[in-house]
Amino acid sequence: MRARIGSLLQHQGALVMLLLVCLIGFARYEAFLTPENLLNILRQNSMLGLVALGMTFVILTGGIDLSVGALLAVAGVIAASLAGQGLIVALPAAVAAATILGLINGLVISKGRIQPFIVTLAMMIAARGLALAVTGEESVRITSSSDSFGWLGRGSIGFVPVPIVILLVAFAVGWLVLNHTRFGRNVLAVGDNDEAARLMGLNTDRVTILVYAISGALAGLAGVILASRLGTGQPVAGVGWELDAIAAVVIGGTLLTGGQGSALATLVGVLLLGVIFNLFNLEGQISPWWQLVLRGLILLFVVVVQNRLTKLR
Amino acid sequence: MNIEPLLRMEKIKKVFSGVVALDDVHFSLEQGEVHSLVGENGAGKSTLIKVLTGAYHRDGGEMFLEGSPVNFRTPEEAQHAGVVAVYQEVNLLMFRSVAENMFLGREPRRFGLIDWKRMYRDAGEVLRNLGLQIDPKATLGTLNIASRQMIAIARGVSLGAKVLVLDEPTSSLTEHEVVLLYDVIRRLKEQGTGIVYISHRFDELYAVCDKVTVLRDGKFIATRPLAGLERMDLICLMLGKKREDLEKKGSTAFGDHHESSSAKPLLEAEHLRRGRHLRDVSITAGRGEILGMAGLLGSGRTEVARAVFGADSIDEGKVSLEGKQLNLRSPHDAIRAGLAFLSEDRKAEGIVPDWSVRENMTLAALPALTRFGVVSRSAQNQIVERFMSRLGIKASSGEQKIRDLSGGNQQKVLLARWLCKNPKFLILDEPTRGIDVGAKSEIQALINELAEDGMGVLMISSELEELVEGSSRIVVMRDGECCAELTGKEISQDSIVKAMAAEEAGGVQSDSASAV
């Protein structure tokens, strides 16, 4: 019984906490439970959500991707400079570039047998440098005649903003892939025990390469949306996002050592962080620095609880 | 008429950088046959299995599966053809379900998505056919070790294995769980699967296997039906002894030279227990005594040494030196108490190849040679000089890299490493393995000298001559138990082999007891 409660808390702990935080918000702030505010939370977190989804794939294999923030900036800059030629050109080009950089991460990690931490740290530094060098540290202004490009970040389908639609579709696909395709199960298998997976005849290198490519692609997509929302491609965009994404994944309940977790857990993790941030803003009194302190404490708390629950089983 | 066996391996040869690992080895397996492969360390069992399953490429010979020649380049190819190695249960996925573990990489699909329903159904069917009541939806990590091992086997079966290789399948099972495994094997036999069974435990071989093939030093020795084959004869085949020779050779006089008669034993280990590896083992050794320890691979002989040295944590038992009980949580405690342990794997556990003789020799003594945090070079040199001349270490100087020394001289340096700490009791595991004859007798003489100076020695060896000639008393290990103790005139190669071979209701133990 105790183990079952433990298991429930581990799998749904973030969800329980999300509901709790929402309840507090509802009780305390009138402005919280309004459609505008809720859509706002979702839209603000849609880009981090995409990055965190990619990070989920990577962490499920037992890896880590520190380069996502920098890849997001590279994609944003590319998309902004191609924005004049329309979304049809800018989006695929930017996402493809980020995917290729992610692919390089995966290739070096799997074929070179080098730790993901170091490889993606190197990519983070180099890609950020590339974005800064190419733009001369200047933001790339998106010029006129790019209405289709602006639609991506600022338009809406019905009353739902486009970024939210993209976020939800991406998570639905991510859930389907992880739970119902061979590739998804292979991702989990590699993180569970990669030696065993290899002995069972799995091409573990291929899995590794693909998850870093996916992570790069989703970071790229987030970068394009951000550029579209801001109207500029900023070479300094996404600084520190890799850490927020990791935090969201871990808070959602995915084990940092890999093998256990899900896309939905990450969505809950992202929303939990987003709602807490939203409540801080509604409160209006807490300085951003104290907000950071609180977020750090929350992350620590969740990880400690997770660790205890894992041992309990 | 079809007389072609399920699997036939002919004249298999495998060479590793000039060293012949397999030479002209034959092996054949019939449908529904359980065929054991036995041999001591370095016999070539695992190499043969790896050649069979495509992990290694053979350098010569031929392989036939159901009569047609095969040549597997990878384990996957072998799997497709129906030759499957079952790995130990640690090589499974702990967070995944039973069914996923069985079907990983070839999950049934509908419209590109995994067909979970069918996967659970198929997995359940395979499990039921093996007589296993395991829920295919259960998370693997929640099951006991035995169930996991069965799932590893079920995975092999679900791959459509015609030939199933079980490598030490019982190593982590309790006795009760082993029975479950026997049942699964019996069912597989009925279904016509050929099984290659590797185990160190004779009781198991006789319980489940039809035939046995013996390898020694990479060579094919014999294939025999197990029914009617006496254990003595099987052990003689493994060790390369003739039974008549054993019986002719009596005990050698060497033994009774330094028989200890001191009232109080130097080292006492009482009731050591560690799972199935050690089952209530007690040994004592006196000052100036060389206690020999015999036993086949996997009999628990190395485990005794490791337990005494504190290298493995034991379930029960105590160790005392000079009547004082030791609190052994780690080798560090044992070393401080005056124990020394020269392990059998010199390369992995002993030498630092790129270091000099001096650095290797003084490694364990460094704390004593250090003044104000600085290692005293002159003190180091004194030790090196003393032991190089005393042990007759052949090196150009103390600064020569140890990797350039012969195996015998490397072993002497390691021995010196322990001796310069003045241990009271020395444990040697296979002290002369892989050493040329000259150096071997030098080391043996040195061990004798140390004992004469009052050191207690426990010498584990798989070479019967070495034990018979060098020990004052011999204990024989079998299946984690101390099955015989031989002293004085009882010591002979013949009596050791007899003790190794004894059936469960140990005839030898009572034999030797009545002979005293």
Side-chain angles (χ1 to χ4, degrees):
Chain A
M1 189 64 203
R2 221 178 125 202
R4 189 179 294 177
I5 292 173
S7 160
L8 183 79
L9 274 176
Q10 189 187 351
H11 290 123
Q12 313 300 342
L15 189 62
V16 171
M17 231 163 110
L18 177 63
L19 293 176
L20 224 78
V21 173
C22 285
L23 214 66
I24 293 171
F26 171 67
R28 223 176 131 85
Y29 313 102
E30 260 177 44
F32 179 74
L33 203 66
T34 57
E36 300 86 65
N37 189 49
L38 293 184
L39 284 177
N40 204 22
I41 294 174
L42 276 171
R43 193 177 50 210
Q44 275 175 352
N45 289 286
S46 57
M47 290 151 289
L48 179 63
L50 291 173
V51 175
L53 178 61
M55 188 70 79
T56 307
F57 277 83
V58 171
I59 289 182
L60 280 175
T61 65
I64 197 104
D65 188 351
L66 298 179
S67 68
V68 285
L71 297 189
L72 179 146
V74 168
V77 167
I78 292 175
S81 32
L82 295 175
Q85 304 181 40
L87 188 65
I88 304 283
V89 176
L91 178 68
V95 172
T99 308
I100 288 168
L101 293 178
L103 205 67
I104 293 171
N105 276 335
L107 277 169
V108 177
I109 289 163
S110 62
K111 300 296 177 192
R113 305 253 160 259
I114 302 173
Q115 283 162 345
F117 189 95
I118 295 301
V119 174
T120 58
L121 178 65
M123 177 61 79
M124 167 180 153
I125 296 167
R128 178 71 63 192
L130 185 70
L132 287 164
V134 168
T135 58
E137 296 178 51
E138 298 281 332
S139 298
V140 179
R141 186 77 49 81
I142 294 172
T143 47
S144 58
S145 78
S146 49
D147 291 345
S148 68
F149 188 77
W151 173 81
L152 187 70
R154 283 173 295 208
S156 46
I157 299 173
F159 64 94
V160 188
V162 174
I164 298 182
V165 175
I166 294 174
L167 177 79
L168 296 180
V169 169
F171 269 91
V173 172
W175 169 81
L176 194 72
V177 168
L178 280 177
N179 287 300
H180 295 284
T181 66
R182 280 191 189 168
F183 170 71
R185 303 321 282 178
N186 292 354
V187 168
L188 287 157
V190 168
D192 197 322
N193 184 340
D194 68 337
E195 174 67 14
R198 216 177 42 248
L199 286 173
M200 290 186 194
L202 226 66
N203 186 343
T204 55
D205 283 357
R206 200 179 123 248
V207 174
T208 304
I209 294 166
L210 280 175
V211 293
Y212 285 94
I214 289 172
S215 178
L218 285 168
L221 179 59
V224 179
I225 296 173
L226 185 67
S228 166
R229 269 178 68 73
L230 299 176
T232 62
Q234 295 178 343
V236 293
V239 171
W241 279 39
E242 59 282 343
L243 302 180
D244 287 340
I246 293 167
V249 171
V250 171
I251 286 173
T254 295
L255 284 188
L256 205 45
T257 44
Q260 201 171 39
S262 71
L264 294 186
T266 295
L267 185 60
V268 172
V270 170
L271 292 180
L272 180 58
L273 283 177
V275 169
I276 291 173
F277 183 69
N278 182 250
L279 294 187
F280 287 155
N281 282 344
L282 290 174
E283 185 73 35
Q285 299 290 318
I286 308 169
S287 86
W289 312 126
W290 284 113
Q291 290 186 18
L292 282 182
V293 172
L294 278 171
R295 282 173 70 171
L297 288 176
I298 291 168
L299 177 61
L300 191 64
F301 171 75
V302 168
V303 175
V304 169
V305 170
Q306 251 193 28
N307 190 25
R308 297 293 300 269
L309 289 174
T310 318
K311 277 182 190 145
L312 194 95
R313 289 203 306 149
Chain B
M1 204 175 79
N2 184 14
I3 49 158
E4 184 64 32
L6 176 61
L7 170 77
R8 191 155 57 91
M9 299 174 85
E10 292 282 347
K11 299 187 174 173
I12 300 295
K13 188 169 184 182
K14 177 72 200 167
V15 182
F16 291 110
S17 50
V19 181
V20 179
L22 288 177
D23 189 11
D24 208 12
V25 172
H26 304 267
F27 185 79
S28 81
L29 183 69
E30 306 284 343
Q31 272 200 359
E33 179 185 78
V34 184
H35 195 144
S36 173
L37 202 53
V38 301
E40 286 287 275
N41 259 339
K45 284 176 299 183
S46 50
T47 312
L48 185 66
I49 291 305
K50 283 181 175 160
V51 168
L52 170 64
T53 57
Y56 288 162
H57 298 215
R58 59 180 189 267
D59 296 318
E62 287 176 290
M63 231 161 85
F64 301 89
L65 188 66
E66 295 177 316
S68 28
V70 285
N71 188 14
F72 306 131
R73 278 165 302 176
T74 62
E76 288 80 63
E77 267 188 40
Q79 262 183 29
H80 276 292
V83 176
V84 180
V86 172
Y87 297 101
Q88 289 184 353
E89 94 310 318
V90 289
N91 287 310
L92 291 173
L93 306 168
M94 291 302 139
F95 293 134
R96 304 277 81 77
S97 70
V98 169
E100 284 197 82
N101 269 286
M102 287 167 61
F103 287 94
L104 185 77
R106 50 194 184 89
E107 294 91 344
R109 285 187 292 190
R110 270 183 84 194
F111 312 120
L113 300 181
I114 293 173
D115 187 348
W116 290 96
K117 238 182 173 170
R118 206 178 118 205
M119 189 160 100
Y120 288 135
R121 204 181 55 218
D122 292 355
E125 203 170 305
V126 173
L127 292 169
R128 259 195 315 282
N129 279 342
L130 293 175
L132 298 168
Q133 282 167 351
I134 300 173
D135 178 7
K137 291 182 186 173
T139 305
L140 189 95
T142 63
L143 302 175
N144 62 27
I145 308 249
S147 303
R148 294 182 204 167
Q149 183 68 57
M150 301 310 157
I151 286 153
I153 294 172
R155 177 183 163 80
V157 173
S158 74
L159 280 163
K162 297 169 190 158
V163 176
L164 207 57
V165 181
L166 303 181
D167 192 354
E168 296 281 348
T170 62
S171 60
S172 53
L173 304 189
T174 65
E175 257 140 285
H176 171 71
E177 292 165 338
V178 170
V179 179
L180 200 66
L181 176 76
Y182 290 170
D183 191 49
V184 168
I185 290 176
R186 193 177 47 73
R187 281 168 191 265
L188 287 172
K189 265 178 75 113
E190 282 167 12
Q191 290 161 21
T193 312
I195 296 175
V196 184
Y197 191 95
I198 300 176
S199 175
H200 294 310
R201 294 172 203 280
F202 276 28
D203 293 336
E204 275 174 28
L205 301 192
Y206 280 92
V208 296
C209 298
D210 304 306
K211 277 191 205 153
V212 59
T213 288
V214 181
L215 301 182
R216 187 181 349 112
D217 299 330
K219 291 197 179 65
F220 173 83
I221 302 300
T223 295
R224 299 275 170 86
L226 265 165
L229 176 66
E230 277 185 51
R231 289 186 182 207
M232 267 295 272
D233 291 326
L234 179 54
I235 291 174
C236 285
L237 286 172
M238 288 169 67
L239 298 179
K241 304 279 173 199
K242 285 217 178 79
R243 207 165 157 178
E244 310 86 72
D245 292 354
L246 288 181
E247 278 154 11
K248 260 186 278 167
K249 256 191 218 164
S251 67
T252 325
F254 223 121
D256 15 46
H257 275 338
H258 34 73
E259 204 166 331
S260 153
S261 57
S262 68
K264 227 178 181 178
L266 176 65
L267 179 100
E268 278 177 286
E270 292 170 273
H271 307 297
L272 301 178
R273 288 176 191 276
R274 182 163 83 83
R276 287 176 73 204
H277 302 287
L278 291 177
R279 300 195 273 199
D280 197 10
V281 176
S282 298
I283 56 166
T284 63
R287 214 176 285 282
E289 184 181 37
I290 300 177
L291 177 64
M293 184 172 273
L296 294 169
L297 190 69
S299 61
R301 52 183 196 199
T302 297
E303 282 76 4
V304 172
R306 290 179 61 88
V308 169
F309 196 59
D312 293 327
S313 63
I314 50 177
D315 304 336
E316 239 180 274
K318 57 181 184 180
V319 178
S320 35
L321 190 69
E322 296 179 312
K324 231 172 54 198
Q325 193 182 331
L326 305 179
N327 180 15
L328 296 179
R329 280 152 314 182
S330 71
H332 181 75
D333 297 332
I335 294 168
R336 270 216 309 226
L339 292 174
F341 179 30
L342 196 54
S343 75
E344 72 182 311
D345 194 347
R346 193 159 64 230
K347 291 232 165 57
E349 295 178 36
I351 65 169
V352 186
D354 281 324
W355 284 13
S356 67
V357 169
R358 171 179 57 82
E359 287 164 313
N360 268 291
M361 194 185 289
T362 57
L363 184 63
L366 281 183
L369 302 177
T370 304
R371 295 283 170 271
F372 309 113
V374 179
V375 178
S376 159
R377 186 64 175 262
S378 65
Q380 272 188 318
N381 286 338
Q382 268 179 13
I383 287 180
V384 172
E385 243 169 72
R386 179 148 53 98
F387 284 99
M388 276 182 67
S389 67
R390 182 169 170 203
L391 307 189
I393 295 170
K394 291 179 195 75
S396 59
S397 82
E399 297 310 310
Q400 193 178 2
K401 277 189 185 173
I402 196 166
R403 67 182 326 151
D404 300 331
L405 267 52
S406 70
N409 281 305
Q410 289 181 359
Q411 188 72 324
K412 287 179 187 173
V413 173
L414 289 183
L415 197 55
R417 179 193 287 176
W418 289 113
L419 294 182
C420 67
K421 300 199 64 159
N422 292 320
K424 294 168 184 148
F425 194 85
L426 180 62
I427 305 169
L428 303 165
D429 196 355
E430 300 279 9
T432 62
R433 171 184 296 162
I435 288 175
D436 61 88
V437 186
K440 202 176 230 176
S441 59
E442 278 177 40
I443 288 180
Q444 284 161 349
L446 184 74
I447 296 169
N448 270 319
E449 234 174 82
L450 292 169
E452 269 159 26
D453 292 347
M455 200 180 286
V457 179
L458 172 64
M459 178 171 70
I460 300 169
S461 176
S462 40
E463 290 192 33
L464 300 183
E465 291 92 341
E466 181 169 85
L467 285 172
V468 168
E469 286 170 16
S471 322
S472 31
R473 195 154 55 86
I474 292 178
V475 292
V476 183
M477 296 289 299
R478 175 164 47 80
D479 282 342
E481 282 172 316
C482 180
C483 66
E485 187 173 327
L486 310 168
T487 53
K489 291 274 180 278
E490 297 167 357
I491 295 179
S492 70
Q493 295 193 22
D494 184 46
S495 56
I496 295 175
V497 173
K498 269 192 183 134
M500 286 174 174
E503 310 283 325
E504 270 302 271
V508 166
Q509 199 157 8
S510 47
D511 281 359
S512 63
S514 61
V516 173

